[in-house]
Amino acid sequence: MVLLTGLLAALTLASSATAAVCTPRPKTYEAEDAVLSGTTVATAQAGFTGTGYVTGFDEGSDKITFTIPSASTRLYDLTIRVAAIYGEKRTTVILNGGAASEVYFPSSTTWADISAGQVLLNEGDNTLEIVNNWGWYLIDSITVAASAPRPAHNINADLVNPNADANAKTLYSYLRSIYGKKILSGQQELSWANWIAQQTGKTPALVSVDLIDYSPSRVERGTVGTAVEEAITHHNRGGIVSVLWHWNAPTGLYDTEENKWWSGFYTRATDFDAQAALADTTNANYTLLIRDIDAIAVQLKRLQAAGVPVLWRPLHEAEGAWFWWGAKGPETAKKLWGVLYKRLVEHHGINNLIWVWNSILPEWYPGDDTVDIVSADVYAQGNGPMSTQYNQLIELGQDKKLIAATEVGAAPLPDLLQAYQTHWLWFAVWGDSFINNQEWNSLATLNTIYNHDYVLTLDEIQGWQNLN
């Protein structure tokens, strides 16, 4: 913690002196000149720079290690020149043996320069590792260029639903008031939020619950949801509520030994075809989609009646395609989002929802008129600032939408968030095997985060409902 505080102070000093010193020029480092571990230099793919490129990312430990000198502690933009000729991929970037970040490489047939977020270089030599992750890509070089100061945000003043109720409007106003100044602490599941209170003496400001067990194809097999009660409990103690929905497919569950019925939200566990279901409004599977949405509307209306404004995050991680609502590509997912919005808002009159979109790639974005907040789910170890995803979401929402880290494996360290100017509105750590896993979140780290001035906890947000 002392080291991080020192870095933040050094960065502040460096920033204040910017006018008095020259901005460092961009610098490119060739991959073939770096230290290779399990990887090799090749020349078969035309168009590389330098004397070759690096390939052979096929084992978990395969990596390249660059050494990058810096004259001062400073924030830099990182660009990776890559050829993802085997399809879309993801890599892991680790700076100075610390926080990891995940970088997405879109499929390509040639070389492309991919923005990889930012890196806070220390004065002196720094190490930057590119580690396998999905593997099967080619790395030509990296480039670091001094980051420009982040401009002021220009967040939309109003919610997309013109009939949003007073509770939703009050919450949105509060969120706008803290954006860029503080981050809301958050946790998936009420029980784990209470566990954090036992470990740190602080309760998360936000609790995320899942409507999964209200899905009709689960209810008919005996599930009984408790998420609504948990959400109301947290709301009644002055907290903020986020809601997602692992939507078990309406029908077509394989229910095999490999893919049980309760995993029916996964693409691998169902033959439900969202594209075919949305082809017209008269087919049986479209009727089942509406049946499911109506079942969830019942639960959302319970929250509305209890005065609970909801950060509503359906169809999450659609771009990953591992859930059936993303399996047929962006056009189908966007169409389903539109059906959800129209059914819940216009048909059911549910006006306590703040609509949270949860994919980063521009081709998946359903449009500004049905999205209040853009977000990402990030699972990378090291408690880093997740600058890659934050910067992508700034671009996606044109800095007019609030930005949230709606699911994380590792809670971010606040000093790094401030140093990188990654103004996430909230973070929410996933439950069992992440929040209680020392490799992802040590108790010392959780105590540092939950007792930091930049991080808002339940006791510190009391009275937000009275903002207006």
Side-chain angles (χ1 to χ4, degrees):
M1 187 61 199
V2 172
L3 176 61
L4 285 176
T5 303
L7 282 175
L8 187 57
L11 182 64
T12 303
L13 266 175
S15 298
S16 65
T18 298
V21 297
C22 294
T23 300
R25 294 181 178 179
K27 174 72 174 177
T28 296
Y29 298 85
E30 295 291 340
E32 66 272 18
D33 297 331
V35 176
L36 310 185
S37 303
T39 51
T40 58
V41 176
T43 57
Q45 180 74 20
F48 59 84
T49 59
T51 59
Y53 58 85
V54 173
T55 185
F57 292 92
D58 49 26
E59 298 290 340
S61 59
D62 293 342
K63 64 181 180 179
I64 314 172
T65 303
F66 297 88
T67 298
I68 307 173
S70 179
S72 62
T73 298
R74 188 170 188 139
L75 200 59
Y76 288 82
D77 297 331
L78 173 66
T79 302
I80 302 176
R81 183 169 169 81
V82 61
I85 59 175
Y86 304 109
E88 63 177 10
K89 302 295 178 184
R90 295 177 190 269
T91 193
T92 299
V93 175
I94 301 175
L95 177 66
N96 292 324
S101 63
E102 187 174 77
V103 180
Y104 171 78
F105 296 152
S107 178
S108 66
T109 58
T110 186
W111 298 101
D113 293 325
I114 303 299
S115 173
Q118 294 163 295
V119 288
L120 180 58
L121 299 184
N122 299 329
E123 182 178 352
D125 285 343
N126 300 263
T127 60
L128 187 142
E129 298 171 295
I130 297 178
V131 186
N132 186 63
N133 202 324
W134 286 17
W136 296 97
Y137 45 75
L138 316 177
I139 301 294
D140 185 29
S141 64
I142 65 169
T143 299
V144 291
S147 299
R150 193 178 296 286
H153 302 296
N154 184 30
I155 303 302
N156 292 333
D158 300 314
L159 292 168
V160 293
N161 176 6
N163 297 315
D165 69 16
N167 293 318
K169 290 178 179 178
T170 297
L171 175 56
Y172 186 68
S173 294
Y174 174 69
L175 297 177
R176 288 183 70 240
S177 75
I178 64 170
Y179 186 59
K181 304 170 186 173
K182 302 281 186 177
I183 188 171
L184 292 163
S185 57
Q187 179 57 44
Q188 183 67 35
E189 299 177 34
L190 183 65
S191 60
W192 286 112
N194 294 337
W195 178 86
I196 289 172
Q198 295 170 357
Q199 307 303 316
T200 68
K202 294 281 191 175
T203 301
L206 177 147
V207 166
S208 174
V209 299
D210 191 348
L211 299 185
I212 181 171
D213 282 332
Y214 301 101
S215 301
S217 67
R218 295 173 74 93
V219 173
E220 66 190 19
R221 289 170 168 83
T223 63
V224 177
T226 60
V228 170
E229 288 79 7
E230 292 173 9
I232 292 172
T233 295
H234 188 63
H235 169 78
N236 286 343
R237 63 186 185 182
I240 293 170
V241 171
S242 177
V243 176
L244 76 151
W245 179 22
H246 278 95
W247 186 350
N248 231 54
T251 190
L253 305 180
Y254 294 145
D255 198 14
T256 62
E257 190 62 34
E258 296 79 17
N259 294 295
K260 297 289 191 181
W261 61 265
W262 39 260
S263 63
F265 48 89
Y266 283 116
T267 300
R268 60 172 170 75
T270 179
D271 63 6
F272 188 80
D273 186 328
Q275 184 177 29
L278 292 168
D280 58 68
T281 60
T282 59
N283 71 81
N285 282 346
Y286 180 85
T287 301
L288 290 176
L289 284 175
I290 298 302
R291 176 205 66 180
D292 283 15
I293 296 170
D294 289 350
I296 293 304
V298 171
Q299 307 308 323
L300 294 173
K301 286 178 179 178
R302 291 174 62 197
L303 292 171
Q304 183 169 251
V308 182
V310 171
L311 296 164
W312 171 231
R313 185 170 64 100
L315 307 189
H316 67 293
E317 301 175 13
E319 65 190 354
W322 39 75
F323 299 139
W324 63 262
W325 51 86
K328 295 298 179 178
E331 296 310 312
T332 297
K334 288 187 288 187
K335 188 173 183 179
L336 183 56
W337 177 270
V339 170
L340 258 172
Y341 183 90
K342 185 174 182 179
R343 189 72 179 178
L344 293 177
V345 173
E346 298 178 15
H347 178 79
H348 285 289
I350 301 176
N351 296 319
N352 63 324
L353 307 179
I354 296 175
W355 288 76
V356 183
W357 178 248
N358 190 231
S359 288
I360 294 176
L361 297 178
E363 59 266 31
W364 289 79
Y365 188 55
D368 288 344
D369 57 344
T370 58
V371 173
D372 294 305
I373 296 174
V374 292
S375 69
D377 294 353
V378 185
Y379 286 84
Q381 290 182 319
N383 308 98
M386 305 171 287
S387 68
T388 303
Q389 293 79 9
Y390 185 81
N391 290 339
Q392 289 172 315
L393 289 169
I394 284 276
E395 187 173 345
L396 180 68
Q398 301 174 48
D399 212 6
K400 295 180 180 179
K401 303 289 184 181
L402 298 170
I403 298 175
T406 41
E407 279 181 37
V408 299
L413 285 162
D415 279 346
L416 289 178
L417 293 174
Q418 292 175 280
Y420 280 76
Q421 301 176 62
T422 46
H423 297 153
W424 297 103
L425 179 58
W426 78 82
F427 68 84
V429 183
W430 199 249
D432 192 27
S433 77
F434 287 98
I435 189 60
N436 59 337
N437 185 332
Q438 291 286 312
E439 294 183 3
W440 286 87
N441 298 283
S442 72
L443 291 180
T445 297
L446 289 177
N447 272 280
T448 293
I449 292 169
Y450 271 87
N451 289 282
H452 195 286
D453 288 343
Y454 187 70
V455 179
L456 292 173
T457 51
L458 182 62
D459 59 304
E460 295 169 316
I461 67 165
Q462 294 302 302
W464 66 262
Q465 302 96 326
N466 301 320
L467 182 67
N468 289 345

